[in-house]
Every structure is written in structure tokens, then in C-alpha cells.
Amino acid sequence: MNISQTCKLGWLTRSTTIKQRIWFGFALILVVLTALSVGTYFKFNILGSGINRVTETIQPAVLTSQNLAFQLESSNYALGFYILTKEDSYKDKYFSLLDDSQESLEKLGSYDYIRNNQAMTSTIESLGSKLNTLVGFKDRVVELVSNDVLNIPAMALAGEKLNPLAQQMQGMVSEMILSEWGEDNTDESRSEYRQALYDLRYYNAQLVGELRTFLAFRADINIDNMKSMTDVIDSKLAFLEKSSDMYSFEQEEMIPQYKTKLVDYKAALNEAVEVHKSDKYRSDIYLAQHSIGPEISNIQNELWGLLNQLNADISLQSNELQEESTNSSNFVLIGMSIGILAGLLIAYFMSRMITVPINDVVRAFDDLAQGEGDLTHRLNEEGKSELAKLSIGFNRFADKVHHLVSQVAGEVSNLSEVVQNVSVIVEQTQQGSITQKEKTSQVATAITEMTATVQDVATNADLASQSAQQADTN
């Protein structure tokens, strides 16, 4: 069976050399590997594009959104510390974080992924409007924090109403006490009256002090103390009104005025207590809680909504990338399997294309070496390969050997005839030798017999000689 029959690629074996076949096999393997590599490249290129879409378009928007949320939260903390401590460092940090938030929002709106999404673009515009509103509170916050009178309504009320009224009332009581020294109290009849004026002055002063304490600490005990003091002042004023017969000229004029001022003072005091006990007791805190805080919460809610949408898009892209990655892995595995199978097939056919002609030559030489070769057998000389050239050389050698063997066979035939003639002559000679041998045997027997007779005669002669000698002796 030759290579054409084995591989069904006779045209290839006839027209190519071994070197060309080897290169052809490598070329086929390279073609398969190239096809697999190109397919893998496109698969991973698609996968890389998806990853780039996430990391270069969506992920930056997510990071910027998270950074914006962190900046807003940090600005809220900085605002709280600034309100509590009034330190400029916290104010500067608050302003800086707001500026950074505006820059982050502008950066967020500049991403192509955001600009190409109408809903996200609308969200960015809404966030920008709210952030501008938030920034607009900066000057108001600084104004309130730096001015306690403006910042604390109860303190403003105290400065505008309570303190002037208290001063007027205390002035009236002082004048009434001064006028009292012009009255005769030798019989001690005015002592209790005078003590009521002293008490009135004392509790007026105490009421002002308690109000200041309340403005500082907002304690309920201060409210209770102020109520007790106003009750005492009312009781002292009632006592004075009952003692109208003891009024001096100044007292008669001032006690009604004092009573009117006291009513106004108590009304202003109640108003101050109400506002100072409410969440409006500090305008900066109220502004932070009811304007700035909710605005930040609204911004963060919209921002988290945007983040959720971006994360949902990332999840969707990640699922697609995961599916694409699985497909790519399957493609690579299938491609590797096909490549290995193709490589094995190519290796098998290439080995057959190279080894089969060589094995034919080896078998031919083995036949010659073992002396059983068919000198009429010829190798296939078709093709341009080195094996075809080897086959041509072998066939020429076989021709010469066959011619030589044919000549030797003719000489051997002539020699065989001579040998046959010699064999006949040898056979005839051998037959004559056998006859001569038989005759020689007969002569030998006769000679033996003659020798025995001669020996007998000699013996008898010897006996006769001995007998003669004995007879002579006798």
C-alpha cells in the first residue's frame, strides 16, 4: 500500500518534497492556530470593550456621584461644627466642600454616559438647581453665626423690648425709693411699704438675671424661677396699690406707669420664653435643620437614585460581560479541542506522508539483506521529493543487481551441466573402485592363507631341525 492509497493525497506527495511537506504541515497548524487566535481575539476584544464601557464610562460617574454624596455629607458636618464652635476653620471647610460639590456635579454632568441619558441629564439639572440653593445659604449662615442678637430671636427680643422695659421699670422703682426718703417714717408706719419697694427693685434685678441665664441654658428651672419672680413682683405691686394712701407725689404718678410696663414686660417675656423653648431659638440651627438639611437630604436622595440607576446599569453590563466571558471561555475550549484534533490529524497525515515511502525503502532493503528479496520489485518514482529520488536510486541499484544475478544464474546453469558430467564419471569411477576393491580383497585373502601355510611349514621345519639336532647329540 503506497502513500497515495493510505493518505488519499497522492497529488501532494508527488509534487512536494519532504521539506515542503513539513512546512505545509506547520502552515496548516499555523492556519488553525491563527484562526483560533483571531476568533479568541475578537471574543476578548468584545469582552474588553464591555469592560471599558463599564470602567471608563459608567464607573467614573459612579465614583463621582459617591464623591459628591460624601462632600455634601461632610459639608453638613462642617456646618454643624461651625455653628457650634464659630471657628473660621470650619467655616472655610464648609465653603470649600460646597465649592468641591459644585465642581463634582459639573464633572458628573460632563460624562458622555450621563449626557446621552435624558433622565440622568434631568437629574443633574435638578441637582444643580438644589445645590445652587444650598450655596445661597452661605452668607446667611455666616451672618447668623457671627451675630448672636440676629441669630437668637429671644436675645433680639430681650435687646429690643425686655432690656429697655426692665431698665425703665428699675428706674421707676429707684425714683420711687428716692422719693420715699422725703417721707416721714418716725413711727415706722412706712417700713413695710418701703420694704415692698426694695423687694420690687430686687426682684426686678433678679428677673433680668434669670432671663439671661435662661437665654444661655434654656432650662425649665429658669422658666419656673422667672414665673415665681413675676408672681412675687405682682404681689408686691398689689400691696403697693393697696397702700395708695401712702403714695408720694412721684409714686402716685409712677406706680400706674410701672404696672403698664410690667404688663408689657411679662408679655415680651412670655414671647421670649416661647420662641426660646421652640426649635427656632437659634436661627442658624433652625436654618440648618429646616432649610439646609432638607435641601441636602433632597440632593442626596436624588443622588442615590442616580447611583442606583448607575449601579443597575453596571449590574446589567456585568451580567452581559459574565455571559460574554462564559461564551469566550467555551469558544476557547472548543477552539483548543478543534486545534488539538486538527493538529493530531495533520501530524498523522504528515507522518504518513513521510514515513510510508521511507518504510517501503526500508522493507526493500531488508528483503535484499535477508536474501529473499524480489529483484523485480520497484519503488514508486513519482514525485519530486527526496524519497522519489531515493526510489529512483534504489530502482537503478535493483536493476544492476538483477542484471548481475541474471548473469550469475546463466553461468551457474552451465556449471551445473559440467557438474552433472563429472558426477557421472565419478559414479563410474566409484563403481570400478568397488570392483577393484572386491578383487583386492580376494588377493588379500589368498595371501593370508599363503602366509598361514608358510608359517606352518616354518614350524614344521623348525621341529625337524630340532629333532635332527637331538639325534646328533644322541
Side-chain angles (χ1 to χ4, degrees), residues 154 162 203 206-233 265-266 268-278 281:
L162 291 172
Y203 283 107
Q206 288 295 107
L207 184 59
V208 171
E210 197 67 29
L211 174 61
R212 290 174 180 172
T213 304
F214 172 67
L215 292 177
F217 300 103
R218 300 176 67 238
D220 291 338
I221 186 66
N222 301 130
I223 299 174
D224 294 339
N225 290 340
M226 287 188 294
K227 186 177 185 308
S228 298
M229 291 175 186
T230 54
D231 290 343
V232 171
I233 291 173
Y265 185 88
K266 290 168 65 177
L269 181 62
N270 290 332
E271 184 180 356
V273 169
E274 283 294 323
V275 71
H276 208 55
K277 286 296 293 182
S278 68
Y281 82 100

Side-chain angles (χ1 to χ4, degrees), residues 1-28:
M1 182 181 294
N2 58 31
I3 191 168
S4 300
Q5 295 170 332
T6 302
C7 303
K8 304 301 181 183
L9 294 173
W11 63 271
L12 187 58
T13 60
R14 288 192 300 270
S15 59
T16 58
T17 64
I18 293 177
K19 181 178 180 181
Q20 290 172 337
R21 293 174 202 173
I22 293 173
W23 279 110
F24 177 73
F26 280 123
L28 286 178

Side-chain angles (χ1 to χ4, degrees), residues 399-429:
D399 287 340
K400 290 181 180 180
V401 173
H402 183 261
H403 178 69
L404 179 61
V405 170
S406 297
Q407 288 180 343
V408 171
E411 295 298 331
V412 169
S413 179
N414 294 332
L415 180 60
S416 179
E417 291 179 0
V418 173
V419 170
Q420 287 178 357
N421 292 332
V422 172
S423 178
V424 172
I425 294 171
V426 169
E427 187 176 355
Q428 291 174 354
T429 302

Side-chain angles (χ1 to χ4, degrees), residues 100-118:
D100 292 343
S101 298
Q102 288 183 309
E103 292 178 3
S104 296
L105 185 61
E106 291 178 4
K107 183 179 179 181
L108 182 61
S110 66
Y111 292 124
D112 292 336
Y113 191 80
I114 300 294
R115 289 204 306 265
N116 296 332
N117 189 305
Q118 184 60 42

Side-chain angles (χ1 to χ4, degrees), residues 313-355:
D313 292 346
I314 289 178
S315 297
L316 180 62
Q317 294 289 337
S318 298
N319 293 334
E320 293 178 357
L321 289 176
Q322 183 66 35
E323 183 178 356
E324 186 64 33
S325 176
T326 302
N327 293 336
S328 298
S329 298
N330 293 336
F331 176 82
V332 171
L333 291 175
I334 294 172
M336 288 176 60
S337 301
I338 294 174
I340 292 172
L341 180 60
L344 292 174
L345 290 175
I346 292 171
Y348 171 77
F349 282 109
M350 293 307 299
S351 65
R352 296 292 294 172
M353 291 171 65
I354 295 172
T355 59

Side-chain angles (χ1 to χ4, degrees), residues 71-100 137-138 141-142 145 282 284 292:
Q71 289 169 343
L72 288 171
E73 187 173 0
S74 299
S75 70
N76 201 21
Y77 291 145
L79 173 62
F81 283 115
Y82 174 54
I83 290 174
L84 291 175
T85 64
K86 299 182 180 181
E87 293 182 5
D88 290 338
S89 59
Y90 290 114
K91 179 188 72 173
D92 296 338
K93 187 175 182 179
Y94 172 60
F95 287 179
S96 176
L97 287 169
L98 287 180
D99 293 338
D100 292 343
F137 289 120
K138 290 196 303 184
V141 169
V142 173
V145 172
R282 282 187 60 169
D284 53 0
I292 297 176

